[in-house]
């Protein structure tokens, strides 16, 4: 079996968003009142303005954490566990009804919106190249 070598491709914002658009499996990390991280598996996407968007319920811990500390980290995963991924850190906000996306209204959900401010390389696991 051939060895798979790790990759780490530095990308700009347009390429980052192109990478994220077809991927919907994510891990959202927000911050509790004591500053410790709280991570949740979520489904998400990218809106027309280039924000990462995630539907949630207003009373979930992730929503409360963002209201208190408006920043988050999102690990965007590929469908295959050992395929490419990227971590995106940014400013975060909770958008409540009636301003949340129309499709969310019937479910009583809110929208979490993360504005990418910094991100790591788009990476894959594997053996070190050298």
């Amino acid at each position: 079996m051939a060895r798979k070598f790790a990759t780490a491709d530095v990308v700009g914002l347009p390429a980052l968003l192109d990478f994220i658009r077809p991927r919907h499996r994510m891990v959202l990390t927000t911050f509790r009142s004591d500053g410790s991280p709280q991570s949740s598996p979520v489904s998400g996407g990218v809106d027309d303005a280039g924000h990462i968007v995630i539907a949630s319920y207003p009373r979930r811990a992730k929503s409360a954490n963002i209201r208190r500390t408006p920043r988050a980290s999102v690990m965007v995963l590929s469908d295959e566990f050992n395929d490419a991924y990227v971590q995106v850190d940014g400013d975060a906000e909770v958008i409540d009804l009636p301003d949340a996306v129309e499709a969310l209204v019937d479910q009583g959900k809110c929208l979490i919106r993360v504005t990418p401010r910094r991100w790591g390389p788009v990476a894959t696991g594997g053996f070190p190249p050298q």
Side-chain angles (χ1 to χ4, degrees):
M1 183 193 301
R3 285 186 168 191
K4 180 179 176 184
F5 291 100
T7 63
D9 300 323
V10 176
V11 298
L13 182 59
L16 173 72
L17 297 176
D18 286 345
F19 175 80
I20 297 172
R21 278 187 184 95
R23 292 167 174 82
H24 304 288
R25 295 177 182 183
M26 303 175 182
V27 177
L28 174 68
T29 300
T30 60
F31 302 93
R32 296 180 178 105
S33 59
D34 67 1
S36 64
Q38 188 267 326
S39 296
S40 304
V42 297
S43 295
V46 176
D47 69 11
D48 291 340
H51 302 103
I52 298 172
V53 290
I54 298 160
S56 185
Y57 289 99
R59 298 198 186 279
R60 295 282 185 167
K62 56 185 145 296
S63 299
N65 291 344
I66 289 171
R67 290 179 202 282
R68 185 182 47 258
T69 307
R71 60 187 173 88
S73 183
V74 182
M75 176 71 70
V76 180
L77 305 168
S78 293
D79 287 342
E80 294 297 321
F81 181 75
N82 62 347
D83 205 351
Y85 62 92
V86 68
Q87 178 178 328
V88 180
D89 303 321
D91 302 327
E93 61 185 324
V94 176
I95 301 170
D96 290 303
L97 299 175
D99 297 322
V101 176
E102 189 65 31
L104 304 177
V105 172
D106 291 339
Q107 298 175 25
K109 289 189 171 184
C110 61
L111 188 69
I112 293 172
R113 186 164 60 189
V114 179
T115 303
R117 297 293 182 210
R118 89 177 170 190
W119 50 92
V122 173
T124 59
F127 291 98
Q130 297 290 6

